[in-house]
Amino acid sequence: MNEYLRLLSYGPEGWGDELLHGAGVTLGLAVATLPFGLALGLAVALAARSESRLWRRLAVVYTTVFRGVPELLTLYIVYYGMQTGLHHLWQTLALPGSFEMNAFVAGMIALGLVLAAFSSEVWLGALNAIPPGQREGAAALGLRRGQVFRLVILPQLLRVALPGLGNNWTVLVKETSLVSTIALADLMFVASRANVVTKEPFLIFGAACLLYLAISLVSTGVLERLEARAGRPYRLRA
């Protein structure tokens, strides 16, 4: 038992501080990816409801591709493929230096693209749940199209979509473990390295599991509070 506590302690002999730092990287990556993925997903959902056939087809193609391609393959394409393409473009334009993509940025882009594909379905369902009369009534009051969306549609949209988006967040936190394959020092990367050194897979990966569960439990509590706050005005009216 003392040996296990020593391996999970802080300092040069323990891996506790490294695991906590990796958990911080995991949480930071998820938080950085969330607004990008949700905003892009909302744009895809709006394109799917567009009057333009071209935009609707593009939305279908986007969701089909990024929901069908494995997340790990998307990560590799962004980190290796996009980096190579941008490097060649950099050289073609004769720009000074060279282009290198940060692993954190690559993970954020790849996971954001996947999150957008899945969250777009949640946004689309929420948009369909809002009665058309809401838009018609707002337009009759003289509100411009942007004002209608910002003042009337968006508040209701967030309330309806929040449970589904919460599920997307939970999946996103778990998918961050994929960035360990491109050498980003997240929780899974640190745990794998610690396992190689200590030869204690049950202890190290068990500790990593508890840290993932802690993030999930805190996230669940925050999401429940947000859902309760979003639905409070409607419960008061009832």
Side-chain angles (χ1 to χ4, degrees), residues 111-147:
L111 295 177
L113 292 173
V114 176
L115 174 62
F118 284 93
S119 66
S120 67
E121 298 298 321
V122 177
W123 288 122
L124 188 58
L127 285 169
N128 291 333
I130 298 176
Q134 298 281 341
R135 300 177 181 84
E136 296 170 359
L141 292 174
L143 296 179
R144 294 189 296 272
R145 189 171 183 178
Q147 291 177 316

Side-chain angles (χ1 to χ4, degrees), residues 15-27:
W15 288 88
D17 48 347
E18 285 88 350
L19 288 171
L20 287 177
H21 180 269
V25 173
T26 291
L27 185 58

Side-chain angles (χ1 to χ4, degrees), residues 116-187:
F118 284 93
S119 66
S120 67
E121 298 298 321
V122 177
W123 288 122
L124 188 58
L127 285 169
N128 291 333
I130 298 176
Q134 298 281 341
R135 300 177 181 84
E136 296 170 359
L141 292 174
L143 296 179
R144 294 189 296 272
R145 189 171 183 178
Q147 291 177 316
V148 171
F149 182 79
R150 180 170 57 88
L151 300 176
V152 179
I153 303 302
L154 187 58
Q156 300 180 73
L157 186 64
L158 291 174
R159 179 182 62 85
V160 176
L162 194 55
L165 297 179
N167 291 333
N168 290 153
W169 162 258
T170 302
V171 174
L172 172 63
V173 172
K174 294 188 294 184
E175 287 180 346
T176 56
S177 61
L178 297 174
V179 299
S180 62
T181 61
I182 57 174
L184 182 63
D186 72 319
L187 178 55

